[in-house]
Amino acid sequence: MHWSGISVVVDPMRNVPAELDTDQGDLELGRLGNFVGFRLRRIQNQLSRNFAAVLADHDLRHGLFSALAIISANPGLSQIAVAREIGLDKSLAVIIIDDLERRKWARRERSQTDRRRHALFITPTGEAALDDMFAKLELVEHDVLETLSPEERHQLASLLDRIYTDCFR
């Protein structure tokens, strides 16, 4: 299966590919075009770069926004669950949770059911910061999502969720 959909322009006089205008994005994906991971990562890289730029005033480390959002949506979950859900090493998750606490965006409490475990909760300050970050994320993703119809956005989300659930859980 070849997904790139870009044909090579051939110089008829020499029967070799004509020079591509690489500044305009006229590159062949080659075999990379056959891999969904590359296609997802290419979009994710662009969105992450744009999101980081609009959040520069928050001075966020990788994974902090995602961790805060997951904690907000799942009050009381463990550090291990946060690490698993956002795909981080457990030791890095501890550093991120420490940073969230330092910023007073989240707090740890001893679990009521397992005293060895900490339950994580977002603070009101954390919710306010998260609201601000989500508003900025919506601006970053607006133009990308506008290229899709509401049905296509729903289909894309459903397909990505199915791949994650079926392959990584």
Side-chain angles (χ1 to χ4, degrees), residues 83-103:
R84 182 182 58 242
E85 192 59 33
I86 60 177
L88 293 176
D89 180 79
K90 292 175 196 172
S91 62
L92 185 55
V94 170
I95 293 168
I96 287 173
I97 303 306
D98 288 346
D99 194 4
L100 289 172
E101 281 193 311
R102 183 184 55 75
R103 295 168 186 257

Side-chain angles (χ1 to χ4, degrees), residues 32-69:
L32 282 174
N34 298 329
F35 295 92
V36 70
F38 170 76
R39 291 176 174 278
L40 291 171
R41 185 66 178 184
R42 184 170 60 164
I43 294 167
Q44 194 265 339
N45 284 344
Q46 294 295 322
L47 290 173
S48 290
R49 189 174 9 263
N50 296 347
F51 189 47
V54 299
L55 291 181
D57 59 321
H58 286 291
D59 190 31
L60 299 181
R61 73 171 61 243
H62 173 74
L64 198 136
F65 168 76
S66 299
L68 187 62

Side-chain angles (χ1 to χ4, degrees), residues 13-141:
M13 301 301 286
R14 297 184 302 151
N15 199 27
V16 295
E19 186 175 324
L20 296 175
D21 184 355
T22 57
D23 292 338
Q24 296 300 314
D26 292 340
L27 294 176
E28 280 288 325
L29 295 180
R31 290 188 282 175
L32 282 174
N34 298 329
F35 295 92
V36 70
F38 170 76
R39 291 176 174 278
L40 291 171
R41 185 66 178 184
R42 184 170 60 164
I43 294 167
Q44 194 265 339
N45 284 344
Q46 294 295 322
L47 290 173
S48 290
R49 189 174 9 263
N50 296 347
F51 189 47
V54 299
L55 291 181
D57 59 321
H58 286 291
D59 190 31
L60 299 181
R61 73 171 61 243
H62 173 74
L64 198 136
F65 168 76
S66 299
L68 187 62
I70 294 295
I71 292 166
S72 176
N74 303 277
L77 87 161
S78 69
Q79 291 175 182
I80 293 170
V82 171
R84 182 182 58 242
E85 192 59 33
I86 60 177
L88 293 176
D89 180 79
K90 292 175 196 172
S91 62
L92 185 55
V94 170
I95 293 168
I96 287 173
I97 303 306
D98 288 346
D99 194 4
L100 289 172
E101 281 193 311
R102 183 184 55 75
R103 295 168 186 257
K104 301 194 182 326
W105 288 357
R107 70 180 192 282
R108 290 179 177 106
E109 293 180 9
R110 286 275 180 211
S111 169
Q112 298 300 315
T113 57
D114 182 350
R115 302 297 289 164
R116 297 168 294 171
R117 186 175 84 91
H118 283 99
L120 302 171
F121 298 91
I122 193 167
T123 65
T125 304
E127 281 293 353
L130 192 60
D131 288 345
D132 178 60
M133 290 184 275
F134 268 119
K136 290 176 179 175
L137 179 58
E138 286 179 18
L139 292 174
V140 167
E141 289 198 354

